[in-house]
Amino acid sequence: MPEVVFPLDSTKSFTEQSIVGHNRWHPDIPAAVQVDPGDVFRVHCREWFDGAIRNDDSADDILNAPLASVHVLSGPISVRGAQPGDLLIVDILDVGPIPQEDSGPLAGQGWGYTGVFATNNGGGFLTEQFPDAYKVIWDFRGGVATSRHVPNVSFTGIVHPGLMGTAPSASLLSTWNAREQRLIDTDPNRVPPLALPPLPDSAVLGSLDGAEFDRVAAEAARTAPPRENGGNQDIKNLTKGSRIFYPVFVDGAKLSVGDLHFSQGDGEITFCGAIEMGGFIDLHVDLIKGGMQTYGVSENAIFMPGRTDPQYSEWLAFSGTSVTLDGEQRYLDSHLSYQRACLHAIDYLTKFGYSDIQAYMILGAAPIEGRLSGVVDIPNSCSTVYLPTEIFDFPIRPTKDGPHQINPGQGVPRATA
Ligand code: ZN
């Protein structure tokens, strides 16, 4: 096993650990760990809500999820010799749930969860159709996920970090804050909000304290969106065997990682999210000096995905176009056409006995493929969502006999408040 450079004790909260991580982006959060180019090391990661979500049959914890505290990240990890303009090579050598035989109280100890946020606390991709808070528990066994809340479906995990990235420079951080504030200003009272400005409340900034903590907390960017540094990209294919090339904006690069997922569908459409869990990740790092200029990598990370995806080969696909449910034509709106494709798939699955929220949870957690199939045929973009047919233990394809009926079981817990 590689040396654990960022350890976490499962019995303690994120801020009580021997090395405290962070939940904001800022160049002045001190490096927690130093490694050398060529090093191989292990990092422990808390699940993104630091244990606030429990393995039970209530969604009240999702309803009241502490959004100001996310994402709890492990790092920053300083790589000796890294300078602005370099490319940081990160190899994911292994990644998995918390290694423990018995199931425990933390997501990652044999189980994980998928949630849907209420519209007034987070919202999500289909929040107009699903305005309440919901939660599904998934059990892990032999690398496969099943759920007491969503029967007749099981799939192999494609374990990956939802969030990994380098620290922004001071000027890049101010660019982020300015452009996101301009967007917020177009509709400052929108629910859910258009973007999340810096928020000192619940900020965790590694070893910083005192006046320096207050200054950094007031400027530091939230971790929800992906940006030029990588960040919360939620790319399900960043699994074991992946090599990622991150732009370096500060001395040492200051790599951070967290938000591990046992599995996820393309788009992480449920927002809370994939199958969320804590766990470990083994990394190897190296540098390409001056690589940002050499390879034209300034906009964002590039990567080579791993080859350990589950081998699903048969699919049932659903398409959608950029027309609203009210029949309004929109111009090449791929976000809308992907929503319509997903709603199409949800409608279809309800014909077999699933509730609509059970179907939504399957699309968020299972390894579905989302594609931009057409983006030029004015006025309609065409998006498609591919469901692997083998994840269902009953025939899912249309036949002349009509849909096989499943027993939907106890269903998906909804928040009571
Ligand atoms: Zn996540």
XYZ file of all heavy atoms in Angstrom, residues 17 19-20 83 87 95 110 147 153 170 176 194 205 217 239 254 260 269 272 293 337 354 365 388:
182
model
N -9.484 16.416 12.298
C -8.457 15.482 11.827
C -7.056 16.013 12.132
O -6.859 17.217 12.355
C -8.615 15.271 10.314
C -9.986 14.772 9.905
C -10.265 13.322 10.319
O -9.342 12.526 10.478
N -11.533 12.991 10.514
N -4.612 16.280 10.006
C -4.379 17.273 8.955
C -5.756 17.733 8.485
O -6.590 16.908 8.110
C -3.620 16.668 7.754
C -2.281 16.058 8.198
C -3.391 17.725 6.672
C -1.530 15.360 7.067
N -5.996 19.035 8.539
C -7.308 19.565 8.150
C -7.257 19.998 6.685
O -6.330 20.707 6.266
C -7.706 20.744 9.059
C -9.034 21.363 8.593
C -7.830 20.274 10.507
N 5.525 24.833 -11.188
C 5.438 26.288 -11.326
C 4.307 26.627 -12.297
O 3.943 25.806 -13.150
C 6.754 26.837 -11.889
C 7.931 26.698 -10.951
C 9.227 27.075 -11.647
O 9.614 26.473 -12.632
N 9.886 28.097 -11.105
N 2.295 21.561 -16.668
C 1.164 20.632 -16.586
C 1.470 19.626 -15.488
O 2.569 19.056 -15.448
C 0.954 19.885 -17.903
C 0.232 20.630 -19.021
C 0.107 19.730 -20.241
C -1.154 21.103 -18.567
N -8.724 3.565 -6.668
C -9.695 4.395 -5.955
C -10.826 3.486 -5.501
O -11.233 2.591 -6.241
C -10.195 5.561 -6.852
C -10.746 5.080 -8.181
C -11.220 6.444 -6.134
N -19.240 0.348 2.960
C -20.166 -0.667 2.466
C -21.446 -0.124 1.889
O -22.283 -0.882 1.396
N -30.021 -1.504 -4.228
C -30.704 -0.620 -3.286
C -32.030 -1.192 -2.830
O -32.814 -1.686 -3.651
C -30.968 0.740 -3.942
O -31.763 1.549 -3.089
N -32.665 -3.687 -9.949
C -31.589 -3.067 -10.706
C -30.282 -3.243 -9.928
O -30.276 -3.164 -8.701
C -31.910 -1.576 -10.989
C -31.990 -0.752 -9.724
C -30.910 -0.960 -11.953
N -4.155 34.099 -7.890
C -4.976 35.194 -7.369
C -5.761 35.856 -8.494
O -6.940 36.195 -8.332
C -4.080 36.219 -6.650
N -12.846 34.475 -11.707
C -14.001 33.618 -11.381
C -15.057 34.419 -10.610
O -16.239 34.397 -10.954
C -13.583 32.439 -10.496
C -12.687 31.431 -11.116
C -12.302 31.341 -12.434
C -12.037 30.349 -10.421
N -11.465 30.274 -12.596
C -11.282 29.649 -11.397
C -12.020 29.921 -9.105
C -10.526 28.514 -11.057
C -11.268 28.800 -8.766
C -10.536 28.102 -9.738
N -28.365 31.288 -9.364
C -27.642 31.092 -10.625
C -26.199 30.660 -10.381
O -25.610 29.961 -11.206
C -27.659 32.387 -11.436
C -29.018 32.746 -12.048
C -28.997 34.179 -12.573
C -29.389 31.774 -13.162
N -10.329 26.141 5.859
C -9.207 26.626 5.048
C -7.884 26.057 5.550
O -6.899 26.776 5.726
C -9.170 28.156 5.063
C -10.481 28.853 4.631
C -10.403 30.347 4.889
C -10.772 28.583 3.163
N -11.288 33.670 3.549
C -12.669 33.175 3.549
C -13.590 34.103 2.767
O -14.544 33.654 2.126
C -13.169 33.010 4.981
N -11.803 7.054 -13.814
C -11.720 5.919 -12.921
C -10.280 5.396 -12.877
O -9.369 6.023 -13.419
C -12.730 4.845 -13.382
O -12.732 3.791 -12.440
C -12.372 4.298 -14.746
N -0.583 22.715 -5.848
C -1.622 22.619 -4.808
C -2.833 21.809 -5.283
O -3.931 22.320 -5.451
C -2.034 24.006 -4.311
C -0.926 24.677 -3.489
C -1.410 25.961 -2.830
C -0.389 26.506 -1.843
N -0.762 27.799 -1.270
N -15.723 11.531 -3.705
C -15.631 10.236 -4.394
C -17.027 9.689 -4.690
O -17.951 9.840 -3.886
C -14.851 9.226 -3.545
C -13.411 9.581 -3.189
C -12.726 8.396 -2.516
C -12.613 10.038 -4.401
N -27.199 13.894 -12.857
C -28.390 14.736 -12.961
C -29.127 14.917 -11.641
O -29.866 15.876 -11.497
C -29.353 14.229 -14.056
C -29.885 12.832 -13.742
C -28.672 14.269 -15.411
C -30.994 12.413 -14.708
N -27.218 15.487 -6.050
C -26.767 15.075 -4.709
C -26.740 13.552 -4.576
O -27.322 12.999 -3.701
C -27.667 15.649 -3.628
S -27.282 15.091 -1.964
N 1.765 25.821 -22.282
C 2.060 26.477 -23.561
C 2.333 25.430 -24.642
O 1.786 25.477 -25.746
C 3.281 27.388 -23.372
C 3.829 28.011 -24.637
C 3.050 29.257 -25.026
O 2.441 29.895 -24.186
N 3.057 29.571 -26.316
N -32.528 19.785 -24.217
C -32.768 18.529 -24.941
C -32.306 17.325 -24.115
O -32.899 16.240 -24.198
C -32.126 18.551 -26.328
O -30.741 18.710 -26.264
N -41.932 1.186 -11.866
C -41.145 2.125 -11.050
C -41.931 3.422 -10.846
O -42.663 3.862 -11.731
C -39.822 2.480 -11.745
C -38.777 1.393 -11.698
C -38.283 0.837 -12.875
C -38.274 0.937 -10.486
C -37.314 -0.157 -12.846
C -37.303 -0.053 -10.451
C -36.832 -0.597 -11.624
O -35.875 -1.579 -11.587
N -27.559 7.472 -10.808
C -26.562 6.619 -10.157
C -25.959 5.557 -11.072
O -24.796 5.194 -10.917
C -27.204 5.931 -8.951
N -27.959 1.062 -20.080
C -27.504 -0.317 -20.279
C -28.622 -1.279 -19.892
O -29.107 -1.251 -18.753
C -26.293 -0.449 -19.353
C -26.369 0.693 -18.399
C -27.291 1.728 -18.956
